[in-house]
Amino acid sequence: MDNHRRTKQAKTNSIVTSSSEEVSSLEWEIVNMNQEEEDLVCRMHKLVGDRWELIAGRIPGRTAEEIERFWVMKTEK
């Protein structure tokens, strides 16, 4: 099993890695995306789910971490 797999905890709105490292979503900077990028992220997420590397590969200049952070912050609203 992957030792760096991340899971979202519903109650705390944070990301926890298996190495007990917790990152609060409140500490993250907002990821600004233009409308085209946001639409693409939403459409890709419907198709492939939480495969952030795959989604980021379709948006030049974006990392998987930025895409995941954008998605988590968007769904918390």
Side-chain angles (χ1 to χ4, degrees), residues 12-16 21-29 76:
T12 63
N13 291 330
S14 62
I15 303 295
V16 178
E21 175 185 330
E22 186 171 324
V23 178
S24 170
S25 60
L26 297 175
E27 295 172 4
W28 287 348
E29 290 183 27
E76 286 182 354

Side-chain angles (χ1 to χ4, degrees), residues 18-62:
S18 61
S19 63
S20 298
E21 175 185 330
E22 186 171 324
V23 178
S24 170
S25 60
L26 297 175
E27 295 172 4
W28 287 348
E29 290 183 27
I30 294 173
V31 177
N32 292 316
M33 291 197 180
N34 64 37
Q35 191 62 45
E36 289 178 9
E37 290 175 321
E38 189 172 337
D39 291 343
L40 184 57
V41 169
C42 291
R43 286 186 282 131
M44 289 291 294
H45 188 266
K46 284 182 184 179
L47 291 172
V48 300
D50 294 343
R51 296 178 64 193
W52 308 120
E53 290 282 340
L54 184 62
I55 296 170
R58 297 288 182 185
I59 305 175
R62 296 291 185 177

